[in-house]
Amino acid sequence: MAYDVFVVGGGPSGATAADDLARAGRRVALLDRAGRIKPCGGAIPPRLIADFDIPEAQLVAHIRTARMISPTGRAVDIPIENGFVGMVDREHFDEFLRDRAARNGTERLTGTFLRIERDAEGTHVVWRDKASGEERRSATKLVIGADGARSNVAKAEVPGGDKIPYVIAYHEIITAPPANDRYDPDRCDVIYDGRISPDFYGWVFPHGKSCSVGMGTEKPEANLKSATAALRKMSGLEECETLRKEGAPIPLHPMDRWDNGRDVVLAGDAAGVVAPSSGEGIYYAMVGGRVAATAAQAALASGRAKDLKLARKLFMKEHKTVFRVLRSMQDAYYRSDDRRERFVSLCHDIDVQRLTFEAYMNKKLVRARPLAHIKIGVKNLLHLSGLVSAVRT
């Protein structure tokens, strides 16, 4: 069978792209490696739930508070006003998205991408079928590469696809303990401590009956498992049963180009669209899948390969400024424990708390309070310059 679009990668980005295209009446294949679960805190904002029609049944927890913990152990609790952050378990959430795409007309394939071949008959995706072990060759007009941070599609087809900077994320899914003075099933803990991560952060994210505990780092010398063990001990979770362990690269910089000018466009982690500073990826992956599908639709309708550029253009038009601000925050505050201490101190500020979570929930910078922005800018400079103490009394 010949496809209009062959999607490589069945995570949130690929599944979203396939679903959108199938709903539009296109012939779509979705190739996924069965059994892989990406390490992920699992947080999704209200905008994602609304934009992508996520049912309540997929939410395993409703987070009402975020706790920021500094290197000295000082904690700042930030209430999530007028809403909540939903939590999903990627093992079930990703399968829900793939299944929904299939119910809307996508053909699901299970196997491993090998290469793209072109001849007089057109473009073909060569892949290995998991059940038989045999190579398959599928004809298609376009390919969407949504196969993760070390995307083989990107490496082979798009300039710069082999040079995406990333952090390595590792987490352990554990059985959640009963609520106690250290663990709250309605609270996410974010740990800014060089002993856990020298350049990023650690996390404790409740998932209802289970919990994700992990960290990320760009430092190859860091021992991720030892750091996570230390984090579990620090959080009173060392005795909880470990259900599974997962690790993977997480990109932190959108690629300058997402298409090959011919028949391939990238989406999600393959295009580098994970938010700096926060490491948030699910929402941006699904947006990446949607804009890739939009670009594919445009290219199929017009016959112009240049329309594939629409994917990056649409994404960056809405999210470029947010990514730039978050990158600046990461560069400014994650470089040392002194800076991390100052960052947590800054989080005490009510304006910082409100604007941060309004931006997170709605996925855009809040412009309704210009005075608050000015105040935050001044306080930020005072903290970075060391003119105010990082320790609050």
Side-chain angles (χ1 to χ4, degrees):
M1 177 179 178
Y3 301 102
D4 292 317
V5 183
F6 194 104
V7 182
V8 180
S13 186
T16 298
D19 190 41
D20 281 4
L21 288 162
R23 288 172 187 259
R26 296 297 182 179
R27 293 166 297 173
V28 186
L30 178 63
L31 177 67
D32 185 58
R33 293 184 297 161
R36 179 183 180 275
I37 307 170
K38 180 182 175 182
C40 177
I44 61 173
R47 182 171 173 184
L48 183 155
I49 296 170
D51 287 358
F52 297 97
D53 194 22
I54 303 303
E56 173 68 24
Q58 284 299 312
L59 303 182
V60 295
H62 297 71
I63 300 302
R64 310 288 181 180
T65 305
R67 171 170 288 184
M68 310 297 179
I69 302 175
S70 78
T72 62
R74 188 161 42 89
V76 177
D77 285 356
I78 304 177
I80 300 171
E81 298 179 346
N82 304 315
F84 63 89
V85 174
M87 304 300 293
V88 297
D89 189 315
R90 292 290 297 273
E91 180 180 13
H92 306 294
F93 182 69
D94 290 18
E95 179 58 23
F96 160 76
L97 295 175
R98 291 188 289 265
D99 180 66
R100 183 166 68 176
R103 284 187 277 110
N104 287 318
T106 296
E107 181 176 356
R108 288 185 62 175
L109 306 172
T110 303
T112 305
F113 169 81
L114 297 176
R115 59 189 178 276
I116 295 174
E117 295 180 347
R118 300 175 181 87
D119 56 28
E121 296 180 354
T123 300
H124 303 266
V125 175
V126 181
W127 55 284
R128 188 178 306 282
D129 180 72
K130 182 175 181 179
S132 67
E134 297 177 355
E135 283 194 13
R136 309 288 188 189
R137 195 167 186 263
S138 300
T140 187
K141 295 176 183 176
L142 297 174
V143 178
I144 292 179
D147 51 334
R150 291 173 174 164
S151 165
N152 288 319
V153 175
K155 289 177 184 177
E157 295 291 333
V158 179
D162 58 343
K163 299 180 176 66
I164 302 176
Y166 56 84
V167 302
I168 295 294
Y170 172 82
H171 79 160
E172 297 176 0
I173 297 293
I174 64 174
T175 54
N180 56 58
D181 60 349
R182 301 174 71 181
Y183 179 81
D184 183 340
D186 296 327
R187 187 189 71 219
C188 281
D189 292 355
V190 185
I191 299 89
Y192 298 98
D193 188 333
R195 293 168 296 179
I196 301 302
S197 172
D199 57 344
F200 208 57
Y201 64 80
W203 67 82
V204 177
F205 285 3
H207 285 183
K209 294 181 180 179
S210 64
C211 177
S212 166
V213 185
M215 52 80 71
T217 180
E218 290 185 74
K219 305 292 186 182
E221 66 273 16
N223 189 317
L224 283 74
K225 292 184 178 180
S226 294
T228 301
L231 176 55
R232 287 180 62 169
K233 184 175 182 180
M234 177 190 302
S235 306
L237 302 170
E238 69 269 35
E239 300 300 325
C240 295
E241 179 187 0
T242 302
L243 303 176
R244 64 178 195 261
K245 303 176 181 181
E246 295 145 3
I250 308 295
L252 289 180
H253 191 281
M255 287 180 58
D256 293 332
R257 182 171 176 176
W258 294 9
D259 70 282
N260 68 349
R262 185 175 184 178
D263 53 9
V264 174
V265 63
L266 304 178
D269 283 12
V273 292
V274 173
S277 181
S278 69
E280 182 191 359
I282 301 177
Y283 172 77
Y284 294 111
M286 294 179 74
V287 172
R290 176 150 290 172
V291 296
T294 300
Q297 280 275 72
L300 289 168
S302 69
R304 299 189 302 257
K306 68 179 183 180
D307 286 343
L308 294 176
K309 296 184 183 301
L310 186 62
R312 189 179 190 279
K313 182 178 180 180
L314 288 173
F315 185 96
M316 299 306 284
K317 180 180 180 180
E318 183 167 3
H319 301 292
K320 178 174 66 176
T321 302
V322 171
F323 271 48
R324 183 183 298 128
V325 170
L326 292 175
R327 182 77 247 181
S328 297
M329 285 178 56
Q330 181 174 336
D331 291 344
Y333 284 111
Y334 287 14
R335 62 177 61 180
S336 69
D337 272 354
D338 177 69
R339 289 289 183 92
R340 283 185 276 267
E341 195 73 40
R342 293 180 181 280
F343 175 68
V344 174
S345 179
L346 186 63
C347 290
H348 276 280
D349 188 273
I350 192 66
D351 289 319
V352 171
Q353 294 180 12
R354 287 176 175 169
L355 291 180
T356 295
F357 271 95
E358 285 180 29
Y360 171 79
M361 305 279 266
N362 299 302
K363 288 296 166 256
K364 58 181 65 175
L365 294 179
V366 181
R367 304 184 187 279
R369 300 185 195 149
L371 182 59
H373 281 283
I374 294 171
K375 288 168 61 181
I376 290 170
V378 172
K379 292 171 184 176
N380 191 50
L381 289 173
L382 292 173
H383 277 276
L384 288 173
S385 65
L387 294 176
V388 298
S389 172
V391 179
R392 297 176 68 92
T393 57

